[in-house]
Amino acid sequence: MRYVSIPVVTVFIVLLSTVITPLILSAKQKAELAVTEDNCVCYSRALIKILRVFAVFFILLTIVVLVLTILSIADPEMMETDSDDIVFIVLSWLLCIMADIATITPSILLTRKIYYDNKYFTEIKPFNKKKRYFYSDVTRIENTVIVELGEQSVRKGKLKIYFGNECVKVSAYMYGVKNFIKVLHAKCKNIKFN
């Protein structure tokens, strides 16, 4: 078991890491164009799709490790498993569970979107929870967003929109945030941006 599980899990994680990086970089430009046309602020749709593909892959890998574990318990001679292999079985499980969490959680959290128009914006959180905010209800805005696109893209900071005690936070990593800030400036002229 030790000769099969640890190397298999490690090799798949390394391979997927090297494959996912170029795919994410190529999706950046497409995402910026799409959100501008839709009056939307969201994370890269391509990134979410890639994360979901990898989540399915890691779930299947977890199932394979489960089957190998059951086989090593049911027939230790066939799997050449002894009592010393328990550490490697546990380590395989931990690697698989960490990979599952590292792909499933972001693929859910990154589905957050904000659609805006002339009167209000609607925040859509994971699991399709919608909330509408009117520009006239804004009490304060804090903007620390820096977005510079180019060869060495820079995205950092947050946009915080306050409605009394309630706050909507928009990350600089979301695409379309620059256009949304322009709309906020136009619609909330009486509010001073910090």
PDB file of all heavy atoms in Angstrom, residues 20-42:
ATOM      1  N   ILE A  20      -3.017  23.651 -13.891  1.00  0.00           N
ATOM      2  CA  ILE A  20      -4.036  24.649 -13.591  1.00  0.00           C
ATOM      3  C   ILE A  20      -3.520  26.080 -13.734  1.00  0.00           C
ATOM      4  O   ILE A  20      -4.257  26.970 -14.138  1.00  0.00           O
ATOM      5  CB  ILE A  20      -4.624  24.421 -12.184  1.00  0.00           C
ATOM      6  CG1 ILE A  20      -5.931  25.191 -12.025  1.00  0.00           C
ATOM      7  CG2 ILE A  20      -3.655  24.834 -11.098  1.00  0.00           C
ATOM      8  CD1 ILE A  20      -6.696  24.820 -10.783  1.00  0.00           C
ATOM      9  N   THR A  21      -2.248  26.342 -13.462  1.00  0.00           N
ATOM     10  CA  THR A  21      -1.716  27.698 -13.508  1.00  0.00           C
ATOM     11  C   THR A  21      -1.848  28.333 -14.892  1.00  0.00           C
ATOM     12  O   THR A  21      -2.371  29.441 -15.007  1.00  0.00           O
ATOM     13  CB  THR A  21      -0.249  27.712 -13.024  1.00  0.00           C
ATOM     14  OG1 THR A  21      -0.206  27.146 -11.714  1.00  0.00           O
ATOM     15  CG2 THR A  21       0.309  29.107 -12.996  1.00  0.00           C
ATOM     16  N   PRO A  22      -1.418  27.692 -15.977  1.00  0.00           N
ATOM     17  CA  PRO A  22      -1.593  28.320 -17.295  1.00  0.00           C
ATOM     18  C   PRO A  22      -3.062  28.510 -17.679  1.00  0.00           C
ATOM     19  O   PRO A  22      -3.411  29.491 -18.333  1.00  0.00           O
ATOM     20  CB  PRO A  22      -0.916  27.349 -18.267  1.00  0.00           C
ATOM     21  CG  PRO A  22      -0.078  26.462 -17.451  1.00  0.00           C
ATOM     22  CD  PRO A  22      -0.640  26.460 -16.073  1.00  0.00           C
ATOM     23  N   LEU A  23      -3.918  27.591 -17.257  1.00  0.00           N
ATOM     24  CA  LEU A  23      -5.342  27.730 -17.572  1.00  0.00           C
ATOM     25  C   LEU A  23      -5.945  28.946 -16.881  1.00  0.00           C
ATOM     26  O   LEU A  23      -6.754  29.669 -17.468  1.00  0.00           O
ATOM     27  CB  LEU A  23      -6.094  26.464 -17.160  1.00  0.00           C
ATOM     28  CG  LEU A  23      -5.767  25.203 -17.954  1.00  0.00           C
ATOM     29  CD1 LEU A  23      -6.449  23.998 -17.347  1.00  0.00           C
ATOM     30  CD2 LEU A  23      -6.155  25.374 -19.404  1.00  0.00           C
ATOM     31  N   ILE A  24      -5.551  29.190 -15.653  1.00  0.00           N
ATOM     32  CA  ILE A  24      -6.050  30.350 -14.914  1.00  0.00           C
ATOM     33  C   ILE A  24      -5.574  31.636 -15.564  1.00  0.00           C
ATOM     34  O   ILE A  24      -6.343  32.590 -15.742  1.00  0.00           O
ATOM     35  CB  ILE A  24      -5.608  30.278 -13.444  1.00  0.00           C
ATOM     36  CG1 ILE A  24      -6.322  29.131 -12.742  1.00  0.00           C
ATOM     37  CG2 ILE A  24      -5.877  31.591 -12.721  1.00  0.00           C
ATOM     38  CD1 ILE A  24      -5.781  28.831 -11.369  1.00  0.00           C
ATOM     39  N   LEU A  25      -4.307  31.679 -15.960  1.00  0.00           N
ATOM     40  CA  LEU A  25      -3.760  32.889 -16.568  1.00  0.00           C
ATOM     41  C   LEU A  25      -4.438  33.217 -17.893  1.00  0.00           C
ATOM     42  O   LEU A  25      -4.691  34.378 -18.202  1.00  0.00           O
ATOM     43  CB  LEU A  25      -2.249  32.743 -16.756  1.00  0.00           C
ATOM     44  CG  LEU A  25      -1.432  32.665 -15.476  1.00  0.00           C
ATOM     45  CD1 LEU A  25       0.032  32.404 -15.798  1.00  0.00           C
ATOM     46  CD2 LEU A  25      -1.576  33.934 -14.658  1.00  0.00           C
ATOM     47  N   SER A  26      -4.760  32.211 -18.686  1.00  0.00           N
ATOM     48  CA  SER A  26      -5.421  32.456 -19.965  1.00  0.00           C
ATOM     49  C   SER A  26      -6.875  32.890 -19.788  1.00  0.00           C
ATOM     50  O   SER A  26      -7.443  33.557 -20.649  1.00  0.00           O
ATOM     51  CB  SER A  26      -5.347  31.226 -20.848  1.00  0.00           C
ATOM     52  OG  SER A  26      -6.162  30.204 -20.333  1.00  0.00           O
ATOM     53  N   ALA A  27      -7.476  32.528 -18.669  1.00  0.00           N
ATOM     54  CA  ALA A  27      -8.882  32.872 -18.427  1.00  0.00           C
ATOM     55  C   ALA A  27      -9.060  34.302 -17.935  1.00  0.00           C
ATOM     56  O   ALA A  27     -10.167  34.839 -17.980  1.00  0.00           O
ATOM     57  CB  ALA A  27      -9.475  31.915 -17.409  1.00  0.00           C
ATOM     58  N   LYS A  28      -8.002  34.944 -17.476  1.00  0.00           N
ATOM     59  CA  LYS A  28      -8.112  36.289 -16.898  1.00  0.00           C
ATOM     60  C   LYS A  28      -8.666  37.312 -17.889  1.00  0.00           C
ATOM     61  O   LYS A  28      -9.586  38.059 -17.567  1.00  0.00           O
ATOM     62  CB  LYS A  28      -6.756  36.770 -16.388  1.00  0.00           C
ATOM     63  CG  LYS A  28      -6.332  36.171 -15.094  1.00  0.00           C
ATOM     64  CD  LYS A  28      -5.009  36.778 -14.665  1.00  0.00           C
ATOM     65  CE  LYS A  28      -4.592  36.252 -13.321  1.00  0.00           C
ATOM     66  NZ  LYS A  28      -3.330  36.862 -12.888  1.00  0.00           N
ATOM     67  N   GLN A  29      -8.103  37.367 -19.082  1.00  0.00           N
ATOM     68  CA  GLN A  29      -8.520  38.367 -20.054  1.00  0.00           C
ATOM     69  C   GLN A  29      -9.963  38.153 -20.502  1.00  0.00           C
ATOM     70  O   GLN A  29     -10.722  39.099 -20.666  1.00  0.00           O
ATOM     71  CB  GLN A  29      -7.590  38.365 -21.248  1.00  0.00           C
ATOM     72  CG  GLN A  29      -6.195  38.845 -20.899  1.00  0.00           C
ATOM     73  CD  GLN A  29      -5.241  38.700 -22.064  1.00  0.00           C
ATOM     74  OE1 GLN A  29      -5.482  37.916 -22.978  1.00  0.00           O
ATOM     75  NE2 GLN A  29      -4.144  39.451 -22.017  1.00  0.00           N
ATOM     76  N   LYS A  30     -10.355  36.913 -20.698  1.00  0.00           N
ATOM     77  CA  LYS A  30     -11.724  36.614 -21.105  1.00  0.00           C
ATOM     78  C   LYS A  30     -12.715  37.051 -20.032  1.00  0.00           C
ATOM     79  O   LYS A  30     -13.786  37.573 -20.338  1.00  0.00           O
ATOM     80  CB  LYS A  30     -11.886  35.118 -21.377  1.00  0.00           C
ATOM     81  CG  LYS A  30     -11.117  34.611 -22.563  1.00  0.00           C
ATOM     82  CD  LYS A  30     -11.300  33.117 -22.705  1.00  0.00           C
ATOM     83  CE  LYS A  30     -10.405  32.558 -23.789  1.00  0.00           C
ATOM     84  NZ  LYS A  30     -10.493  31.097 -23.879  1.00  0.00           N
ATOM     85  N   ALA A  31     -12.373  36.840 -18.801  1.00  0.00           N
ATOM     86  CA  ALA A  31     -13.271  37.186 -17.696  1.00  0.00           C
ATOM     87  C   ALA A  31     -13.490  38.689 -17.614  1.00  0.00           C
ATOM     88  O   ALA A  31     -14.610  39.145 -17.388  1.00  0.00           O
ATOM     89  CB  ALA A  31     -12.706  36.662 -16.383  1.00  0.00           C
ATOM     90  N   GLU A  32     -12.448  39.475 -17.793  1.00  0.00           N
ATOM     91  CA  GLU A  32     -12.568  40.931 -17.698  1.00  0.00           C
ATOM     92  C   GLU A  32     -13.499  41.482 -18.777  1.00  0.00           C
ATOM     93  O   GLU A  32     -14.305  42.364 -18.528  1.00  0.00           O
ATOM     94  CB  GLU A  32     -11.184  41.573 -17.799  1.00  0.00           C
ATOM     95  CG  GLU A  32     -11.145  43.023 -17.417  1.00  0.00           C
ATOM     96  CD  GLU A  32     -11.453  43.273 -15.946  1.00  0.00           C
ATOM     97  OE1 GLU A  32     -10.911  42.578 -15.078  1.00  0.00           O
ATOM     98  OE2 GLU A  32     -12.253  44.184 -15.674  1.00  0.00           O
ATOM     99  N   LEU A  33     -13.422  40.932 -19.985  1.00  0.00           N
ATOM    100  CA  LEU A  33     -14.299  41.380 -21.064  1.00  0.00           C
ATOM    101  C   LEU A  33     -15.751  40.976 -20.814  1.00  0.00           C
ATOM    102  O   LEU A  33     -16.668  41.753 -21.058  1.00  0.00           O
ATOM    103  CB  LEU A  33     -13.828  40.801 -22.398  1.00  0.00           C
ATOM    104  CG  LEU A  33     -12.506  41.347 -22.936  1.00  0.00           C
ATOM    105  CD1 LEU A  33     -12.079  40.561 -24.162  1.00  0.00           C
ATOM    106  CD2 LEU A  33     -12.621  42.819 -23.252  1.00  0.00           C
ATOM    107  N   ALA A  34     -15.968  39.777 -20.320  1.00  0.00           N
ATOM    108  CA  ALA A  34     -17.330  39.277 -20.115  1.00  0.00           C
ATOM    109  C   ALA A  34     -18.071  40.076 -19.050  1.00  0.00           C
ATOM    110  O   ALA A  34     -19.252  40.387 -19.222  1.00  0.00           O
ATOM    111  CB  ALA A  34     -17.300  37.807 -19.738  1.00  0.00           C
ATOM    112  N   VAL A  35     -17.426  40.419 -17.952  1.00  0.00           N
ATOM    113  CA  VAL A  35     -18.124  41.117 -16.879  1.00  0.00           C
ATOM    114  C   VAL A  35     -18.443  42.558 -17.247  1.00  0.00           C
ATOM    115  O   VAL A  35     -19.428  43.116 -16.786  1.00  0.00           O
ATOM    116  CB  VAL A  35     -17.344  41.080 -15.545  1.00  0.00           C
ATOM    117  CG1 VAL A  35     -17.229  39.672 -15.039  1.00  0.00           C
ATOM    118  CG2 VAL A  35     -15.992  41.723 -15.659  1.00  0.00           C
ATOM    119  N   THR A  36     -17.634  43.172 -18.095  1.00  0.00           N
ATOM    120  CA  THR A  36     -17.899  44.542 -18.530  1.00  0.00           C
ATOM    121  C   THR A  36     -19.192  44.591 -19.336  1.00  0.00           C
ATOM    122  O   THR A  36     -19.992  45.506 -19.176  1.00  0.00           O
ATOM    123  CB  THR A  36     -16.721  45.071 -19.372  1.00  0.00           C
ATOM    124  OG1 THR A  36     -15.535  44.957 -18.601  1.00  0.00           O
ATOM    125  CG2 THR A  36     -16.927  46.507 -19.768  1.00  0.00           C
ATOM    126  N   GLU A  37     -19.407  43.616 -20.187  1.00  0.00           N
ATOM    127  CA  GLU A  37     -20.614  43.575 -21.008  1.00  0.00           C
ATOM    128  C   GLU A  37     -21.864  43.262 -20.185  1.00  0.00           C
ATOM    129  O   GLU A  37     -22.954  43.715 -20.518  1.00  0.00           O
ATOM    130  CB  GLU A  37     -20.453  42.525 -22.107  1.00  0.00           C
ATOM    131  CG  GLU A  37     -19.346  42.859 -23.088  1.00  0.00           C
ATOM    132  CD  GLU A  37     -19.005  41.699 -24.009  1.00  0.00           C
ATOM    133  OE1 GLU A  37     -19.616  40.618 -23.866  1.00  0.00           O
ATOM    134  OE2 GLU A  37     -18.115  41.876 -24.848  1.00  0.00           O
ATOM    135  N   ASP A  38     -21.724  42.499 -19.110  1.00  0.00           N
ATOM    136  CA  ASP A  38     -22.874  42.050 -18.325  1.00  0.00           C
ATOM    137  C   ASP A  38     -23.228  42.957 -17.150  1.00  0.00           C
ATOM    138  O   ASP A  38     -24.172  42.668 -16.423  1.00  0.00           O
ATOM    139  CB  ASP A  38     -22.619  40.645 -17.762  1.00  0.00           C
ATOM    140  CG  ASP A  38     -22.480  39.605 -18.849  1.00  0.00           C
ATOM    141  OD1 ASP A  38     -22.919  39.867 -19.978  1.00  0.00           O
ATOM    142  OD2 ASP A  38     -21.932  38.533 -18.564  1.00  0.00           O
ATOM    143  N   ASN A  39     -22.476  44.054 -16.917  1.00  0.00           N
ATOM    144  CA  ASN A  39     -22.639  44.874 -15.705  1.00  0.00           C
ATOM    145  C   ASN A  39     -22.613  43.982 -14.473  1.00  0.00           C
ATOM    146  O   ASN A  39     -23.529  43.951 -13.667  1.00  0.00           O
ATOM    147  CB  ASN A  39     -23.931  45.688 -15.737  1.00  0.00           C
ATOM    148  CG  ASN A  39     -23.845  46.837 -16.705  1.00  0.00           C
ATOM    149  OD1 ASN A  39     -22.771  47.285 -17.063  1.00  0.00           O
ATOM    150  ND2 ASN A  39     -24.988  47.316 -17.140  1.00  0.00           N
ATOM    151  N   CYS A  40     -21.538  43.260 -14.361  1.00  0.00           N
ATOM    152  CA  CYS A  40     -21.404  42.246 -13.334  1.00  0.00           C
ATOM    153  C   CYS A  40     -20.031  42.325 -12.693  1.00  0.00           C
ATOM    154  O   CYS A  40     -19.060  42.706 -13.333  1.00  0.00           O
ATOM    155  CB  CYS A  40     -21.600  40.873 -13.982  1.00  0.00           C
ATOM    156  SG  CYS A  40     -21.321  39.479 -12.898  1.00  0.00           S
ATOM    157  N   VAL A  41     -19.965  41.978 -11.422  1.00  0.00           N
ATOM    158  CA  VAL A  41     -18.704  41.827 -10.702  1.00  0.00           C
ATOM    159  C   VAL A  41     -18.680  40.382 -10.222  1.00  0.00           C
ATOM    160  O   VAL A  41     -19.587  39.960  -9.500  1.00  0.00           O
ATOM    161  CB  VAL A  41     -18.623  42.793  -9.493  1.00  0.00           C
ATOM    162  CG1 VAL A  41     -17.309  42.623  -8.770  1.00  0.00           C
ATOM    163  CG2 VAL A  41     -18.818  44.236  -9.937  1.00  0.00           C
ATOM    164  N   CYS A  42     -17.660  39.634 -10.655  1.00  0.00           N
ATOM    165  CA  CYS A  42     -17.602  38.220 -10.273  1.00  0.00           C
ATOM    166  C   CYS A  42     -16.182  37.709 -10.392  1.00  0.00           C
ATOM    167  O   CYS A  42     -15.316  38.369 -10.949  1.00  0.00           O
ATOM    168  CB  CYS A  42     -18.542  37.384 -11.128  1.00  0.00           C
ATOM    169  SG  CYS A  42     -18.101  37.339 -12.866  1.00  0.00           S
TER     170      CYS A  42
END
